[in-house]
Amino acid sequence: MRVGDLFSVAVEGLQKQLDAMNGAAQQVLVASTAPSTPDRVDISADAKSAASGDTLTSGLEGALVDLRVSKYLAVANLKVLETGAEMAEDVTRLAAPR
């Protein structure tokens, strides 16, 4: 795999996880502000309109799990970017004339 491909895959994976985190956060928002929620949280209209996204699970618990899983997957993609940067630095150092 080329270093450029490594960066591309990592950035795509990171974007996917950020989208998933946004979706899970939206679901947490909806579930925690529903009229049927015993400990209902009041969120401003601006905050509600700013939230959007799709989630894979339902309910507050599932959304919290989605949020946590997405966090770890995003960190993994950041580590791939870090590794790619180290590889690019090593290749540049090795290719430099001595």
Side-chain angles (χ1 to χ4, degrees):
M1 175 180 275
R2 296 183 329 214
V3 175
D5 293 341
L6 180 73
F7 284 119
S8 179
V9 168
V11 168
E12 185 178 321
L14 182 59
Q15 183 60 51
K16 180 179 177 182
Q17 293 316 311
L18 292 176
D19 291 344
M21 284 198 288
N22 284 334
Q26 164 67 16
Q27 191 170 356
V28 169
L29 172 69
V30 169
S32 64
T33 59
S36 61
T37 303
D39 296 321
R40 188 170 179 214
V41 177
D42 289 325
I43 304 293
S44 70
D46 290 336
K48 287 179 184 177
S49 67
S52 64
D54 297 322
T55 59
L56 299 176
T57 59
S58 61
L60 181 58
E61 298 84 1
L64 290 170
V65 169
D66 286 349
L67 200 54
R68 182 155 223 138
V69 168
S70 292
K71 170 189 164 186
Y72 289 117
L73 291 173
V75 168
N77 282 292
L78 287 171
K79 290 294 185 182
V80 170
L81 284 172
E82 184 180 298
T83 300
E86 290 171 1
M87 287 175 57
E89 185 178 304
D90 289 343
V91 167
T92 302
R93 185 175 40 81
L94 290 172
R98 295 182 181 225

